[in-house]
Amino acid sequence: MSGIFTGAGVGPGDSELMTLKAVRAIEECSVIAIPVSDSTLEAPVYETAGSEDGRNEAYLERCVAYQIAVGASPETAEKDRIYLPMPMIKEKERLKAIHDQDAEAVAQLLDEDKNVVFLTLGDPTVYSTCMYVHKRLKRAGYTTQIIPGIPSFCAAAARMDIPLVENRQELHVLPASYDIEESLHLPGTKVLMKAGRKMGEVKRLLTEKEMDAVMVENCGMENEKIYFGAEEIPEQAGYYSLLVVKEKQTGGRER
């Protein structure tokens, strides 16, 4: 018998938006998996509760998903942890080797009948590093499950007090870290995620095309910022920046 791997979405940033099911999974698990984008972590590191290492403490402080979970369930801080390197690079072969290594480290814990919960911001099924480990374990025959979290774009729309889509409108979720110029011509509402590093280019396109856009940076967090209109959007923004781009109204009565 082996443990269960759970990908748990903790929501967009506000601990009060974390689901009861995610909280319960954390409280009942043996180990919390912490994704680390910092390049100083080159291999998975296991840490038992109460034996904190200074460098690992820094990883925890920078892991937004962990901080959200602690806010919703203080018991999170009392769990054993495994730190998994998840560098933000695009070299496919190197990433594959790292993800294979991460999955193998988690598999060893599952083989010890330990339940592992991987904490992920937003929802695990939307651009989450969690799925790189999840699909490898699932393919290897381990029991896996996903606990959904409130996606950042739903939280952003709620924060701005606007609907994402209505009636027959389409919704398109796009990774803005890649080329999006053609995708901006799609009908309906466009959600641009992971736009931080290319914000200047995104702003230029939105301004040139005279598109209606609003942006939320760090939605639900203490340093949250909201920008209304492409002209307000800064040239540089943090990683947790999300834009909602609407079609321009062509007249007629609001419904």
Side-chain angles (χ1 to χ4, degrees):
M1 183 141 181
S2 63
I4 299 173
F5 175 83
T6 301
V10 301
D14 184 345
S15 295
E16 291 185 348
L17 295 178
M18 191 167 158
T19 66
L20 294 174
K21 189 165 187 176
V23 169
R24 188 182 308 116
I26 291 171
E27 292 176 347
E28 295 177 353
C29 79
S30 307
V31 183
I32 298 293
I34 306 292
V36 178
S37 60
D38 195 316
S39 60
T40 59
L41 184 68
E42 298 180 350
V45 173
Y46 188 82
E47 178 180 72
T48 56
S51 61
E52 285 76 6
D53 176 275
R55 185 173 62 177
N56 295 341
E57 190 69 25
Y59 295 149
L60 289 179
E61 291 176 359
R62 290 194 292 268
C63 181
V64 178
Y66 177 80
Q67 297 302 328
I68 294 170
V70 170
S73 174
E75 286 187 37
T76 306
E78 301 171 8
K79 298 290 182 178
D80 288 0
R81 294 178 285 271
I82 183 167
Y83 299 90
L84 303 176
M86 289 285 179
M88 298 173 67
I89 58 176
K90 294 183 178 179
E91 295 94 323
K92 291 184 178 179
E93 289 304 314
R94 186 180 168 199
L95 275 176
K96 180 181 181 301
I98 292 172
H99 296 155
D100 286 346
Q101 179 182 235
D102 289 340
E104 289 169 4
V106 174
Q108 290 178 13
L109 298 176
L110 299 179
D111 288 338
E112 296 172 11
D113 199 24
K114 293 180 178 179
N115 292 332
V116 179
V117 172
F118 188 117
L119 300 179
T120 184
L121 198 63
D123 183 90
T125 65
V126 182
Y127 299 126
S128 168
T129 54
C130 168
M131 299 311 294
Y132 297 124
V133 175
H134 175 279
K135 64 184 179 182
R136 284 168 168 77
L137 294 172
K138 188 179 182 70
R139 193 162 53 231
Y142 291 95
T143 301
T144 60
Q145 62 181 9
I146 295 172
I147 297 176
I150 294 177
S152 57
F153 50 88
C154 292
R159 181 65 184 84
M160 292 181 284
D161 204 27
I162 61 172
L164 275 176
V165 283
E166 299 177 278
N167 298 321
R168 296 185 179 181
Q169 290 178 335
E170 296 178 7
L171 176 64
H172 304 277
V173 181
L174 309 169
S177 53
Y178 297 89
D179 185 22
I180 60 166
E181 186 166 5
E182 289 188 12
S183 299
L184 288 176
H185 295 291
L186 292 167
T189 299
K190 275 76 65 176
V191 171
L192 308 183
M193 300 184 68
K194 303 190 291 185
R197 292 183 178 181
K198 300 187 71 174
M199 192 59 71
E201 175 68 10
V202 170
K203 178 177 180 176
R204 181 186 66 79
L205 290 172
L206 296 176
T207 303
E208 288 180 356
K209 298 177 185 297
E210 298 182 337
M211 305 189 80
D212 289 336
V214 290
M215 171 182 147
V216 180
E217 184 177 6
N218 302 319
C219 184
M221 304 177 199
E222 290 183 1
N223 54 345
E224 174 188 270
K225 295 180 181 179
I226 300 177
Y227 304 90
F228 294 94
E231 66 281 353
E232 289 189 14
I233 295 172
E235 292 288 337
Q236 297 182 339
Y239 180 74
Y240 301 116
S241 298
L242 180 147
L243 296 94
V244 177
V245 182
K246 292 270 194 176
E247 291 184 307
K248 277 192 174 295
Q249 297 298 318
T250 57
R253 183 165 57 92
E254 280 192 11
R255 296 180 180 272

